[in-house]
Amino acid sequence: MEKNDIYITQGTDYRQMAVRILEAANLAGEIGDKNKRIGIKPNIVGAIKASAGATTHPELIDGVLSYLLERGFSHVSVLESSWVGDLTSRAVKYTGIYDICRKHCVPFLDLQKDSSQTVDAAGMSLSVCDEALKLDYLINLPVLKGHCQTTVTCALKNSKGLIPNSEKRRFHTMGLHAPIAHLNAAIHQDFILVDNICGDLDFEEGGNPVIMNRVLGFKDPVLCDSFAAECIGYNPHDIPYIHLAEELGIGSTDLAHANVIPLNRGALDTPKIHHTPQVSRLAAYTAPKDSCSACYGSLIYALSRLDKSGELQGRKKESIAIGQGYRGTSGELGVGQCTKCFKKTLGGCPPKAVDIAEFLRREWQA
């Protein structure tokens, strides 16, 4: 797998989707030595179910552990610390991730109980948990979701779970963006398996999940977060920690030269996204017919961005067509490849939320 590769798979068998990404990336070959100490870092922000859009789905960890153990890697652990407001020991059990670790007889390392040391992170002194520093190979399993302070959180910010609580508090006094970028100069992410199943619209604690039913694979955390930003409607260069990480040499934001490798096309799964009043309100502007989760989810993220800027005010509801049910038909305004016969349409399978938002903004102003 090359650093500019992006693997994407869609569906609802999350465990098998994780395995499929790892097989396509030849992760076992990438790791090599079976005696390497491998760490799996999920996102367990708190005692919140994955279905709320905040935490890593345990099925993904199940898939990763099965893949590694079946190929003879025996020095494997899952490690994490929840946010300061919760106990990791409680959160890991509530999310179901602890049960997955027990199933595979793999240790879970509660980093809230770990010692730490100060390291040089590209000129910034930061405290990092000792267990994280012992690893030979780190597999990051972030959730692609919105964040109330950094707008988006994915691979780079998920490293914050590898530092002690005292350092997490200090990060906030430092403005989050700079220390997040510098932290990733000290902690190398070897592979990133992104949970893009149902991340929250705007908040790291969940509550407004948007169904995407995708799992993504990366080697470059900066490329990963650049892609993640566009998926939920932001320009990556508007998010300070992403371009700061690029300046530190951690990775690249160059999505124009990324090699996107779809392992399958979106299956028709009739997404049930009307879970919360906020998502339902956004969905009222759409007219879906047999749409795939990834396409419809991208539209919801785009509408959320437009709503925050006040651009939905006065717009006609149920006006944006989307879905396979529109193939070969004509209409006024459509999103996605299936509406290519419409008068005004944006291609893509699926298009990114940042492109959808710009398309709708342009068409509404015409």
Side-chain angles (χ1 to χ4, degrees), residues 3 30 36-41 79 119-121 128-129 131-141 155-156 158-159 162 180-192 218-222 248-251:
K3 284 205 72 172
E30 293 276 344
K36 282 186 177 179
R37 289 168 294 188
I38 303 170
I40 298 170
K41 166 63 175 77
L79 69 170
V119 301
D120 174 49
V128 179
C129 293
E131 289 292 348
L133 296 173
K134 292 177 184 177
L135 298 175
D136 299 309
Y137 198 94
L138 175 62
I139 303 173
N140 191 9
L141 274 76
L156 291 165
N158 199 40
S159 293
L162 300 175
I180 287 170
H182 280 265
L183 176 61
N184 283 276
I187 297 175
H188 178 69
Q189 300 183 29
D190 297 285
F191 190 81
I192 305 120
F218 297 82
K219 288 188 72 176
D220 181 342
V222 178
L248 292 172
I250 295 163

Side-chain angles (χ1 to χ4, degrees), residues 63-79:
V64 173
L65 290 177
S66 295
Y67 175 90
L68 292 172
L69 298 176
E70 288 170 5
R71 287 158 179 80
F73 295 98
S74 56
H75 301 288
V76 182
S77 61
V78 179
L79 69 170

Side-chain angles (χ1 to χ4, degrees), residues 45-298:
V45 62
I48 307 161
K49 295 295 186 183
S51 58
T55 55
T56 303
H57 281 72
E59 297 95 325
L60 297 185
I61 298 172
D62 190 12
V64 173
L65 290 177
S66 295
Y67 175 90
L68 292 172
L69 298 176
E70 288 170 5
R71 287 158 179 80
F73 295 98
S74 56
H75 301 288
V76 182
S77 61
V78 179
L79 69 170
E80 168 69 311
S81 67
S82 64
W83 63 359
V84 176
D86 209 338
L87 293 174
T88 309
S89 56
R90 183 174 82 101
V92 69
K93 292 178 180 177
Y94 188 83
T95 58
I97 291 174
Y98 187 70
D99 290 336
I100 297 298
C101 293
R102 290 185 62 188
K103 169 185 171 181
H104 291 282
C105 299
V106 165
F108 177 82
L109 306 179
D110 181 352
L111 298 186
Q112 282 185 334
K113 301 175 181 178
D114 192 24
S115 57
S116 62
Q117 59 183 283
T118 300
V119 301
D120 174 49
M124 183 180 288
S125 294
L126 298 176
S127 181
V128 179
C129 293
D130 285 324
E131 289 292 348
L133 296 173
K134 292 177 184 177
L135 298 175
D136 299 309
Y137 198 94
L138 175 62
I139 303 173
N140 191 9
L141 274 76
V143 177
L144 198 170
K145 56 184 174 178
H147 190 274
C148 66
Q149 291 173 283
T150 61
T151 65
V152 63
T153 174
C154 199
L156 291 165
K157 190 176 178 300
N158 199 40
S159 293
K160 194 162 168 271
L162 300 175
I163 61 177
N165 280 355
S166 58
E167 191 68 304
K168 292 175 188 173
R169 295 187 186 97
R170 191 167 78 97
F171 267 41
H172 285 270
T173 68
M174 299 167 71
L176 278 180
H177 288 280
I180 287 170
H182 280 265
L183 176 61
N184 283 276
I187 297 175
H188 178 69
Q189 300 183 29
D190 297 285
F191 190 81
I192 305 120
L193 187 75
V194 179
D195 184 335
N196 186 207
I197 295 169
C198 63
D200 192 82
L201 274 175
D202 300 298
F203 192 38
E204 64 275 22
E205 197 178 1
N208 285 298
V210 178
I211 306 298
M212 296 288 284
N213 281 336
R214 296 196 304 185
V215 179
L216 317 173
F218 297 82
K219 288 188 72 176
D220 181 342
V222 178
L223 190 72
C224 173
D225 282 18
S226 300
F227 186 85
E230 291 195 350
C231 283
I232 63 174
Y234 294 103
N235 186 319
H237 289 283
D238 292 335
I239 300 171
Y241 76 80
I242 295 179
H243 64 76
L244 283 172
E246 183 177 45
E247 291 174 2
L248 292 172
I250 295 163
S252 172
T253 62
D254 187 7
L255 289 169
H257 292 94
N259 182 28
V260 178
I261 305 170
L263 301 180
N264 64 345
R265 288 296 179 184
L268 179 60
D269 51 18
T270 314
K272 300 176 181 178
I273 67 167
H274 299 259
H275 292 162
T276 68
Q278 184 176 350
V279 173
S280 295
R281 183 174 58 82
L282 296 171
Y285 291 89
T286 73
K289 285 187 181 180
D290 300 334
S291 59
C292 304
S293 291
C295 201
Y296 198 15
S298 295

Side-chain angles (χ1 to χ4, degrees), residues 110 236 336 356 358:
D110 181 352
I356 296 174
E358 182 56 34

